Amino acid sequence: MSEEKFRVESDLLGELKVPAEAYYGVQTQRAINNYHISRKKMRDYPDYIIAIAYVKLAAIQTNHALGVINDEISAAIEQACRELIEGKMHEDFPIDMMQGGAGTSVNMNANEVIANRALEIMGHKRGEFMYCSPNDHCNCGQSTNDVYPTTIRLALVRMNKTLVASLTGLISAFRYKAEDYKKDIKMGRTQLQDAVPMTFGQEFNAYADNLEEEILNLDRNVQLLHEINMGGTAIGTGLNAVPGFAKLCAANLSKLTGENFISSPDLVEATPDTGAYVSYSGALKRLAVKLSKICSDLRLMASGPRCGLHEINLPAMAPGSSIMPGKVNPVIPEVVNQTCFKVIGNDTTVCFAAEAGQLELNVMEPVITECLFESLLWLHNALDTLTEKCILGITVNQEHCKEMVKNSIGIVTALNPIIGYKNSTKVAKEALETNRSVYDIVLEKGLMTQEELDKALDPDNMLQSHSFRLKDDIAKVQK
């Protein structure tokens, strides 16, 4: 077996061996050597690499238009960026998501890959940076401190579209189930106690409407990510970027991506500002909270099958016990619950990291990035899993639910507007104590005729607003 070949590159700290076939260079190799924390790599998130390629492409187009970099180098760098956008060379982004240096390793990883590919395009060898430099050309007019946050924002915008598509699929699944069971009655509950009747159509449509609000909330918050600080360079003063770079680069990035990016009116303010991440993370947390609540509801409604609510059946996905034969657990809602807990925890980390920014830079952006990317990826996967392996396969135990409504004390609420609250309370108490039905007790006491009672307890009257009139003789009794 032949020994792996290396090339030697140098930086501020001295010389270092780099695999000869790697497009990355010495600073990336140092990051590989230094960071073994999350074991999740930059290349695990294709949108991350595509985003930084777009940022570098917008930057080279800007520098070329402003006369800073010549035609040959500009064309080579542009081609290298477009190849990254197409999905090529992603394996050359092996650095850990968790790192020090405020994202410098990410920026230099991209600069080195782009520079080495550009060298090949121009007919030179990898590492011959005198012809195209990671710093002088690929990072011209830029700093990690404007490239990195701009990249994160674009990556989040892209990943948000994937999340919304998955969320839309779940909403559609609930709508589908609502239509399937729109007339099937069940007992609504408050504080885990019997409340008033409703339909499964109302239940499932309520979940869909509840989640649809989150699409709007995500879209509102993702708009905050469109303000960027490219051209601010190190701290927002614009040192080493030529006049006009900031606005032209934002315009170029918008044209390339189809997004409406704007240059911040105060680049010094924008450089350390992580407020948009906090807001967007909050939107992810809000979605997670709602999604977890829905999954907990599904687990309750499916509890049993003999000694629980047993209102619905979830698809059986795995044997539920190593000791209890025949047990099947609600494993899909359970895993989604746990995903949501992770997202909620990530939001707390984002808040702490955002608060830890000092003076002109927040060096904690790598952990913010890792948490947001993880939350987006986990939520996307969880939404798809819940839709495909749970919601679409739900069935309703219709007869069982009808019987529970019929035998419930809660239906006495529908009689309040007719016989009054006090009489309804007496009926409910007697029904509980004697284990008899509300229906029979109301007739026995002569509070309503059978015709009146049947009309009041008709599902159509109990499931929506309707006209009523308090019986005059009952009203007098209750005064």
Side-chain angles (χ1 to χ4, degrees), residues 340-414:
C340 293
F341 304 156
K342 179 69 169 174
V343 173
I344 293 166
N346 281 348
D347 177 69
T348 300
T349 300
V350 169
C351 289
F352 274 109
E355 185 277 334
Q358 298 165 324
L359 303 176
E360 279 66 58
L361 185 66
N362 188 319
V363 302
M364 307 301 176
E365 283 190 347
V367 75
I368 292 175
T369 305
E370 195 280 328
C371 284
L372 288 174
F373 285 8
E374 184 179 67
S375 292
L376 276 159
L377 180 62
W378 282 38
L379 276 174
H380 155 63
N381 290 337
L383 287 165
D384 286 351
T385 299
L386 184 63
T387 301
E388 296 163 11
K389 296 185 181 295
C390 183
I391 305 304
L392 290 173
I394 287 176
T395 57
V396 167
N397 298 315
Q398 294 143 310
E399 293 304 318
H400 174 66
C401 291
K402 284 180 186 177
E403 283 300 309
M404 285 201 290
V405 171
K406 181 180 175 181
N407 294 325
S408 172
I409 306 302
I411 61 172
V412 76
T413 305

Side-chain angles (χ1 to χ4, degrees), residues 20 28 31 43-44 46 52 66 70 99 106 152 170 182 197 199 247 261 264 269 344 379 382 396 418 433 461 466 473:
T28 302
R43 63 189 175 205
D44 294 334
I52 201 166
L66 295 174
N70 67 40
Q99 55 193 254
V106 170
I152 297 168
L170 177 59
K182 62 184 177 182
T199 66
K247 289 186 177 180
F261 287 102
S264 174
E269 180 276 334
I344 293 166
L379 276 174
V396 167
I418 303 168
E433 290 174 347
N461 286 332
H466 59 89
D473 54 337

Side-chain angles (χ1 to χ4, degrees), residues 43 101 118 142 144 177 233 245 394 416 441:
R43 63 189 175 205
Q142 305 153 62
T144 294
K177 286 298 165 181
T233 65
F245 182 97
I394 287 176
N416 277 355
I441 294 172

Side-chain angles (χ1 to χ4, degrees), residues 147-362:
V147 169
Y148 187 61
T150 302
T151 295
I152 297 168
R153 288 164 187 254
L154 175 53
L156 292 174
V157 169
R158 290 175 60 87
M159 293 173 77
N160 183 72
K161 295 180 190 297
T162 303
L163 179 66
V164 168
S166 295
L167 182 53
T168 301
L170 177 59
I171 292 167
S172 297
F174 275 123
R175 298 278 187 219
Y176 173 75
K177 286 298 165 181
E179 181 63 24
D180 266 0
Y181 297 109
K182 62 184 177 182
K183 293 184 178 179
D184 289 292
I185 199 166
K186 60 162 286 183
M187 204 65 199
R189 295 177 181 81
T190 58
Q191 294 163 284
L192 297 181
Q193 306 299 302
D194 298 352
V196 297
M198 64 187 299
T199 66
F200 280 99
Q202 290 172 318
E203 185 96 81
F204 292 142
N205 269 323
Y207 293 148
D209 289 335
N210 191 254
L211 292 172
E212 214 153 53
E213 293 176 357
E214 298 318 294
I215 294 179
L216 297 175
N217 192 49
L218 287 166
D219 287 344
R220 278 193 297 268
N221 282 281
V222 87
Q223 291 307 311
L224 301 175
L225 299 167
H226 286 77
E227 182 179 305
I228 61 174
N229 69 324
M230 283 298 289
T233 65
I235 63 169
T237 60
L239 180 65
N240 291 355
V242 297
F245 182 97
K247 289 186 177 180
L248 181 55
C249 191
N252 284 335
L253 188 60
S254 298
K255 185 177 179 181
L256 289 166
T257 62
E259 299 289 339
N260 185 29
F261 287 102
I262 60 170
S263 180
S264 174
D266 187 340
L267 295 175
V268 173
E269 180 276 334
T271 299
D273 181 38
T274 52
Y277 306 138
V278 173
S279 295
Y280 184 69
S281 180
L284 295 178
K285 178 181 72 173
R286 188 174 120 158
L287 170 59
V289 168
K290 287 190 173 187
L291 187 61
S292 187
K293 185 270 181 191
I294 291 171
C295 286
S296 294
D297 284 359
L298 295 174
R299 291 165 58 205
L300 279 172
M301 288 190 286
S303 61
R306 297 287 177 87
C307 301
L309 298 183
H310 192 48
E311 291 183 343
I312 63 174
N313 306 299
L314 304 180
M317 301 308 298
S321 174
S322 61
I323 190 174
M324 292 174 278
K327 190 170 187 285
V328 178
N329 293 330
V331 294
I332 301 303
E334 285 174 3
V335 76
V336 176
N337 278 131
Q338 293 171 80
T339 298
C340 293
F341 304 156
K342 179 69 169 174
V343 173
I344 293 166
N346 281 348
D347 177 69
T348 300
T349 300
V350 169
C351 289
F352 274 109
E355 185 277 334
Q358 298 165 324
L359 303 176
E360 279 66 58
L361 185 66
N362 188 319

